[in-house]
Amino acid sequence: MRLYIFNYFYPNLIFKMKNVILLLSILALTLTSCRKDFDTVINKGNLEFSKTTVYLDTVFTGIASSTYMLKVYNRSNEDISIPSIALGKGDNSKYRLMVDGLRGEGGKGKVFKNVELLANDSLFVFIEETADIADANPTDMLYTDEIQFSSTTGTQKVNLVTLIQDAIFLFPDRIPQSGGGYSYENLELVDGDPKSKIYGFELTGSELHFTNNKPYVIYGYAGVKAGDVLTIDPGARIHFHKESGIFIKNGGSIHAIGGYPPPNGALTNEIIFEGDRLEPGYSDVAGQWGIIYLANGSTNNIFDHVTIKNATVGIFVDRQVVASTTQIKNTQIYNCSDYGIVARNGKINGENIVVNKCGQASLACILGGTYDFLHCTFANFWNGSNRQTPTVYLDNTYKEGTTLFISDLLQANFTNCIIYGSNNLEVGINKVNTTGLTFTTNFTNSLIRFNDYNNQYTSNPLFTTFLNNGNNLISKNGSPNDPKFKNASKNQMNILAGSAAITNGSPLLSQVRDINGIDRPLSPLKPDIGAYKYIP
């Protein structure tokens, strides 16, 4: 009705509007036909590239690489058409391409026909790869191919190179289902409790011995059951996929025992736990994998000459006061998205430990426990967010739901330790007073960052134990008590000239060697505080 009335009273206006629309359509068609975008010439072979060779970083056999980028430039004043952009090995290539958002013929990412590129413009080529060790050159383990850009004068090429590393893969079994699909093996964290299942599997037989012959890549949680010991040889490399880790069950053990670095400074004797992304861009990314979990009742666990990096939590020691002591020596833990070491009513003997860059605490001892730390460097220069938790946190409680558990902190001894970081208060202590419970902390000859601006802790007996101990060095703003780390942002925690840690340790309980195997001075000479001896 409305359209009818409008047409009835304004017929001339409707006619004029139709003429205007027709005129605009003719004008648009004329302008479009004159555009040069569609008048392309065949590529003459003058393309330029951001790289002549694209090196895709080392990947494990069968695991997809990250995506790499190549930029292709048309520096000429002509719009061109590239007849073909293709991988040299065609459909058999282990590389995949995406050219300006397109997947190419058949969506395979192997061949692209008649690709247009405007004058003085560029296009993006994105490159991925998934290859097995059998595809690589056996002499150097390199897998290669090339991207070929055709033209009227020949073919321009960009080389592709990837190093393929062989590995031993450990993962849960996949079980076919009668109705189709698959189910996956699960690991019971508590034997006999189906509610405690997670994606994982139990190590058995030869799987309980990690050698240094090939790296290991673990999918899911690798469990060690009661009576079994996971033995890891010096020089072994263990890589974890996302949300994976190691779970030592009640009665199980882990012995990760490496050795001091050889004289040439190589890391061949060190055991390394890290993620399965080998590209340099992932070398310091926190939270790439899960946790090494030492469950309630696990026994005789040993970490010696070990590096743990880029986990969510490095080591979790859970309720081991009754069980044997967990030994953590000559161990470095870096870039954990949550905690470096967590102990819940645990029992740890730690010597020459270095922890840095954790999203929360580098060391958290909760629900009490028994702890001895000697010549350790607990630092935290986390830069991923605004960290609220101090570097070292001690607590005799643990809350689960609405229930608060309280237990004895039988002892927490820190001797010749550095406790430092980017926050003002790098020691946190929480004590819930309960009659008959023990809460004992001792800080001796330690360098501690504790800048109490508001003097809220100066008279608190939980803190005066180290603040008023003249053997400790308390670092405040403007104080000379600076450890002078080599480069904390790069986890280089060696101390440099002028460090307050030099020759200020106690000689009574000194470790004979530092974390690198360098001899410390014998009593009565005073050693350096922390895990590293100062080397001029």
Side-chain angles (χ1 to χ4, degrees), residues 20-202:
V20 170
I21 292 171
L22 178 61
L23 180 63
L24 290 175
S25 299
I26 295 172
L27 180 61
L29 181 61
T30 304
L31 290 174
T32 302
S33 65
C34 294
R35 286 182 53 165
K36 294 180 64 180
D37 292 10
F38 296 92
D39 295 335
T40 60
V41 299
I42 303 299
N43 174 32
K44 299 175 182 178
N46 297 321
L47 297 174
E48 296 181 16
F49 308 102
S50 58
K51 300 174 183 178
T52 56
T53 300
V54 178
Y55 294 96
L56 285 76
D57 291 297
T58 305
V59 295
F60 288 115
T61 180
I63 295 181
S65 71
S66 291
T67 302
Y68 293 77
M69 185 189 76
L70 173 71
K71 203 167 184 181
V72 183
Y73 300 94
N74 173 17
R75 305 290 193 192
S76 74
N77 294 321
E78 295 180 306
D79 299 336
I80 66 172
S81 174
I82 306 170
S84 173
I85 299 176
L87 289 163
K89 295 180 180 178
D91 286 347
N92 294 323
S93 180
K94 303 303 178 181
Y95 291 100
R96 301 177 299 279
L97 305 179
M98 178 183 285
V99 178
D100 266 6
L102 301 176
R103 286 290 184 185
E105 292 190 348
K108 297 178 180 180
K110 311 294 183 180
V111 180
F112 300 77
K113 296 290 188 180
N114 301 317
V115 178
E116 294 185 351
L117 181 53
L118 300 181
N120 297 301
D121 202 353
S122 62
L123 60 81
F124 292 94
V125 178
F126 295 98
I127 308 155
E128 297 176 338
E129 174 270 347
T130 305
D132 292 327
I133 194 70
D135 301 314
N137 185 336
T139 59
D140 54 18
M141 297 302 143
L142 294 177
Y143 180 74
T144 60
D145 200 348
E146 59 189 20
I147 308 176
Q148 300 175 346
F149 298 81
S150 64
S151 70
T152 58
T153 59
T155 302
Q156 292 180 270
K157 301 176 181 179
V158 173
N159 297 311
L160 304 176
V161 180
T162 308
L163 176 64
I164 311 295
Q165 188 168 356
D166 200 6
I168 297 171
F169 291 85
L170 300 173
F171 47 84
D173 286 337
R174 189 174 71 168
I175 306 163
Q177 299 298 292
S178 57
Y182 298 89
S183 64
Y184 292 87
E185 182 181 5
N186 285 307
L187 174 70
E188 282 188 356
L189 305 184
V190 179
D191 290 334
D193 180 6
K195 294 182 179 179
S196 69
K197 287 183 178 180
I198 60 172
Y199 179 68
F201 57 98
E202 282 189 350

Side-chain angles (χ1 to χ4, degrees), residues 248-284:
I248 310 300
K249 300 171 74 172
N250 183 2
S253 304
I254 181 172
H255 291 174
I257 304 175
Y260 284 107
N264 63 6
L267 299 177
T268 53
N269 293 330
E270 182 184 25
I271 296 169
I272 299 179
F273 298 88
E274 60 181 324
D276 64 350
R277 302 306 299 264
L278 303 183
E279 303 91 329
Y282 286 86
S283 61
D284 293 316

Side-chain angles (χ1 to χ4, degrees), residues 91 101 252 331 391 410 444 447 472:
D91 286 347
T331 292
T391 295
L410 298 175
T444 305
L447 193 163
N472 291 323

